[in-house]
């Protein structure tokens, strides 16, 4: 039973073997996968990032049963391990336009965190993106807030209405989020308007 999954471009899994061992020392069972880069979607943030870290459902079934203090200690250690590979501008994949020019993006295309939630035969993927030069503190706060949201959504007793709203307004089955530092909260992004405006546009 895997708790998390890391998906990296073909040929890159060996570079994560040390990280895999470090996470397993925290009793985190991890699956390493490789993927081909896909360019079929024109919306930047729906294109797979170089590295995709996925919280799988068993993570919530296992670690959220622990006392809150113990869980956050584990999560903080996960964030510390991930930050070493997450924000690397020199290794960031580029989005190439048809004319051969490089398309600038607001968020890093090197790393993202996702979780797929399924209820009543409906599902949606939540994807957390990061600014290109975020600090370790920002990174940790982003992921901690994201896991809090996922925990709420995985709790079947509280989140049905919210989940149905996400299903209704998701783009291509995905909702993209980021952590707004000034507001100290996660924001759902309107990726269509953001793409057109070339800036962050939150959903309201």
């Amino acid at each position: 039973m895997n708790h998390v999954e890391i998906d990296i471009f073909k040929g890159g899994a060996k570079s994560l073997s040390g990280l895999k061992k470090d996470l397993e020392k925290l009793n985190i069972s991890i699956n390493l996968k490789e993927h081909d880069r896909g360019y079929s979607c024109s919306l930047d943030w729906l294109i797979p990032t170089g590295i995709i870290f996925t919280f799988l459902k068993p993570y919530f079934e296992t670690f959220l049963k622990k006392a809150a203090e113990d869980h956050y200690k584990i999560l903080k250690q996960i964030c510390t391990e991930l930050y070493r590979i997450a924000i690397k501008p020199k290794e960031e994949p580029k989005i190439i336009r048809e004319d051969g020019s490089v398309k600038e993006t607001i968020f890093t295309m090197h790393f993202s965190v996702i979780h797929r939630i399924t209820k009543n035969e409906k599902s949606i993927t939540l994807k957390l993106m990061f600014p290109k030069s975020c600090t370790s503190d920002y990174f940790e706060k982003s992921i901690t807030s994201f896991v809090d949201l996922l925990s709420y959504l995985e709790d079947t007793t509280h989140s049905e209405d919210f989940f149905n709203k996400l299903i209704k307004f998701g783009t291509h089955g995905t909702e993209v989020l980021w952590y707004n530092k000034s507001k100290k909260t996660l924001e759902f992004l309107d990726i269509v308007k953001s793409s057109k405006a070339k800036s962050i546009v939150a959903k309201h």
Side-chain angles (χ1 to χ4, degrees):
M1 177 181 65
N2 293 311
H3 300 111
V4 301
E5 182 175 274
I6 297 183
D7 203 342
I8 190 171
F9 288 157
K10 280 194 172 178
K14 287 184 179 179
S15 67
L16 299 179
S17 59
L19 175 67
K20 184 175 187 292
K21 290 179 181 177
D22 289 341
L23 291 179
E24 287 175 343
K25 289 178 182 177
L26 301 175
N27 295 317
I28 303 290
S29 179
I30 178 173
N31 181 37
L32 287 183
K33 294 175 58 180
E34 295 182 343
H35 67 273
D36 290 316
R37 180 147 188 120
Y39 290 98
S40 59
C41 184
S42 62
L43 296 173
D44 302 349
W45 309 332
L46 294 184
I47 295 173
T49 53
I51 299 174
I52 306 165
F53 183 88
T54 304
F55 283 101
L56 301 173
K57 191 176 182 65
Y59 174 87
F60 300 96
E61 294 172 339
T62 301
F63 293 100
L64 291 184
K65 292 179 181 179
K66 295 179 177 289
E69 183 178 347
D70 291 338
H71 168 247
Y72 281 110
K73 182 179 179 181
I74 293 171
L75 184 57
K76 184 173 182 177
Q77 290 176 285
I78 292 173
C79 291
T80 299
E81 292 294 329
L82 290 181
Y83 186 72
R84 294 191 287 107
I85 67 169
I87 309 299
K88 293 190 175 182
K90 292 182 180 179
E91 299 178 18
E92 184 175 336
K94 301 292 190 294
I95 298 177
I96 309 299
R97 297 188 180 94
E98 291 183 1
D99 62 6
S101 62
V102 176
K103 185 174 184 179
E104 285 296 318
T105 60
I106 299 170
F107 298 110
T108 179
M109 296 304 295
H110 185 67
F111 184 85
S112 61
V113 179
I114 69 171
H115 178 64
R116 187 170 183 81
I117 299 173
T118 300
K119 294 183 179 184
N120 300 324
E121 299 184 351
K122 298 178 182 178
S123 63
I124 191 163
T125 297
L126 301 187
K127 182 175 184 178
L128 179 66
M129 300 293 288
F130 302 87
K132 293 183 177 183
S133 58
C134 72
T135 64
S136 58
D137 288 341
Y138 174 94
F139 185 79
E140 180 184 321
K141 187 62 178 177
S142 297
I143 294 180
T144 300
S145 299
F146 189 57
V147 168
D148 285 343
L149 173 63
L150 301 181
S151 302
Y152 173 78
L153 287 168
E154 285 290 357
D155 187 336
T156 57
T157 61
H158 300 303
S159 60
E160 199 69 32
D161 289 343
F162 188 20
F163 174 77
N164 289 332
K165 183 178 180 180
L166 293 179
I167 292 291
K168 183 177 180 181
F169 293 107
T171 304
H172 299 288
T174 300
E175 279 279 5
V176 178
L177 303 91
W178 82 303
Y179 183 76
N180 187 323
K181 184 178 179 180
S182 63
K183 294 183 179 179
K184 298 181 179 180
T185 188
L186 291 171
E187 286 185 337
F188 288 89
L189 301 177
D190 188 319
I191 59 176
V192 176
K193 290 182 179 179
S194 294
S195 181
K196 290 179 180 178
K198 297 181 180 180
S199 63
I200 295 172
V201 180
K203 285 188 174 181
H204 297 289

